[in-house]
Amino acid sequence: MHRWLRPSLFQQVPKLPKVSGTQAIRALESLGFVVVRQRGSHVVMRKGSTGCVIPNHKEIKSGTLAGVLRQAGVPLEEFLRALH
């Protein structure tokens, strides 16, 4: 069996919601992040020494949102609670 066909690689990943840049920024602000600056449609946020860049678009793609959360060090469950 090929390495890329191993069942362990097919773990269930929670579905990321479709959110706008504004919604993501609000949720991260409620988690203690502050807007540091904006250049064009990209907003830079920071919490202590951790920072992240959020595209302020109508809808953030799921892969982009996953990258933002990874960059910010925020678990998906915590982000989902802050979103609602």
Side-chain angles (χ1 to χ4, degrees), residues 7-8 15 30 33 37 39 41-42 46-47 49 53 59 61 69 74 76-77 80 82:
S8 63
K15 186 122 171 129
S30 73
F33 284 80
R37 65 182 177 276
R39 183 165 185 184
S41 65
H42 288 78
R46 190 167 300 281
K47 178 181 179 181
S49 63
V53 180
E59 184 180 305
K61 292 184 178 182
L69 296 179
V74 175
L76 177 59
E77 296 78 23
L80 292 175

Side-chain angles (χ1 to χ4, degrees), residues 10-79:
F10 300 108
Q11 296 173 0
Q12 188 68 14
V13 179
K15 186 122 171 129
L16 290 168
K18 292 189 187 279
V19 296
S20 69
T22 305
Q23 291 172 314
I25 290 166
R26 258 193 230 121
L28 288 171
E29 281 177 333
S30 73
L31 294 172
F33 284 80
V34 293
V35 175
V36 178
R37 65 182 177 276
Q38 178 172 352
R39 183 165 185 184
S41 65
H42 288 78
V43 178
V44 177
M45 300 187 79
R46 190 167 300 281
K47 178 181 179 181
S49 63
T50 306
C52 62
V53 180
I54 296 114
N56 196 4
H57 299 159
K58 207 178 247 187
E59 184 180 305
I60 300 177
K61 292 184 178 182
S62 61
T64 304
L65 180 58
V68 167
L69 296 179
R70 194 176 321 109
Q71 194 178 42
V74 175
L76 177 59
E77 296 78 23
E78 191 176 341
F79 178 77

